[in-house]
Amino acid sequence: MQKLSIITNRLIIRNLVITDLDNFHQYRSNPEVTKYQGFDVMTKEACADFINSQAEKQFGKPGQWIQYAIENKETNQLIGDCAVKLHQYDVRLAEIGMTISDLHQKKGYAKEALAGILDWLFETQNIHRITEIVDAENVASINLLKSLNFKQEGHFIENIFFKGKWGSEFQFAMLKREWKK
Ligand SMILES: CC(C)(COP(=O)(O)OP(=O)(O)OC[C@H]1O[C@@H](n2cnc3c(N)ncnc32)[C@H](O)[C@@H]1OP(=O)(O)O)[C@@H](O)C(=O)NCCC(=O)NCCS
């Protein structure tokens, strides 16, 4: 299987491995971290199953989410993860998601990791357009996307029944030609 390795100033984005489990579980079990995510807090066992389920995944399969580790180069520890999905019918369209551990937020890591992922997808994977859907109350994610000049394209009003109530979402997007600028 071809392994991913995106290297930025402070980070390595790579495949998840089972030795990431303790760090992965630390933030995936925090309700503040999972508040706006499509999953709830996870047990250690569920985290281990999730990491193992990623092992055989290969980038490039239409319609499949694949989760990558974000490692701090200096400490060699997992500090977060990011997900990429290629569109089911056109693999030049990608969707992304990003999580940074509560222990490491607000240090510019998400922005640095996302910039590395955009370079990789646009420059080497022939991706034309990248989107992210975020909860309209998720200020951190919204600011992250705005900080990299993603365009807000959509505001869906109470389009999702989410964690016990109707939620609204924004869609953000970036085109390859916009990123090149
Ligand atoms: C969203 C998230 C990934 C941001 O990670 P981060 O490493 O703290 O973000 P960065 O430090 O790279 O900051 C990126 C930008 O967002 C802004 N930002 C980050 N957290 C913020 C917050 N809590 N409130 C307001 N702005 C925030 C930063 O100021 C920065 O903007 P700037 O470059 O214009 O100064 C992180 O908060 C997180 O993992 N949240 C929980 C998971 C989640 O909801 N993910 C989205 C669903 S896919």
Side-chain angles (χ1 to χ4, degrees):
M1 186 178 82
Q2 206 189 348
K3 299 285 185 192
L4 181 73
S5 179
I6 299 171
I7 298 176
T8 67
N9 278 349
R10 296 175 294 170
L11 306 170
I12 302 173
I13 299 155
R14 55 158 176 80
N15 294 76
L16 276 166
V17 287
I18 199 63
T19 46
D20 292 321
L21 179 58
D22 285 348
N23 291 323
F24 188 76
H25 178 244
Q26 177 273 319
Y27 61 86
R28 288 265 179 155
S29 58
N30 180 342
E32 274 306 305
V33 173
T34 61
K35 187 172 176 185
Y36 298 118
Q37 313 246 39
F39 49 84
D40 277 315
V41 288
M42 291 167 77
T43 62
K44 199 157 189 179
E45 194 182 16
C47 288
D49 288 347
F50 182 85
I51 290 173
N52 288 330
S53 76
Q54 300 300 304
E56 294 310 314
K57 287 192 181 176
Q58 186 76 38
F59 180 81
K61 193 173 168 195
Q64 172 188 262
W65 279 109
I66 177 162
Q67 208 87 16
Y68 292 111
I70 303 173
E71 175 185 314
N72 180 319
K73 259 190 205 174
E74 221 174 80
T75 62
N76 293 122
Q77 297 295 306
L78 182 86
I79 61 153
D81 59 84
C82 53
V84 184
K85 184 178 83 170
L86 301 185
H87 193 279
Q88 191 174 358
Y89 301 117
D90 191 331
V91 294
R92 294 166 300 181
L93 304 173
E95 191 178 340
I96 49 157
M98 169 81 59
T99 305
I100 297 291
S101 159
D102 47 294
L103 302 178
H104 303 287
Q105 289 177 1
K106 294 191 178 170
K107 293 178 184 164
Y109 287 135
K111 191 170 176 176
E112 183 174 327
L114 190 49
I117 292 163
L118 294 180
D119 279 340
W120 169 59
L121 289 172
F122 285 135
E123 304 306 331
T124 70
Q125 301 300 322
N126 195 32
I127 297 297
H128 173 66
R129 170 183 154 91
I130 298 174
T131 50
E132 182 168 339
I133 308 264
V134 296
D135 191 294
E137 293 177 2
N138 190 348
V139 178
S141 279
I142 292 165
N143 284 351
L144 165 65
L145 294 165
K146 285 183 174 169
S147 77
L148 286 172
N149 296 323
F150 272 75
K151 279 193 185 131
Q152 188 189 313
E153 295 184 329
H155 184 180
F156 307 113
I157 314 287
E158 296 192 10
N159 64 322
I160 180 166
F161 194 78
F162 183 69
K163 301 193 175 174
K165 63 181 174 83
W166 287 105
S168 300
E169 294 180 313
F170 292 132
Q171 175 167 299
F172 282 86
M174 170 83 74
L175 296 175
K176 179 175 181 168
R177 64 173 174 272
E178 294 168 341
W179 181 243
K180 274 186 156 177
K181 278 198 222 158

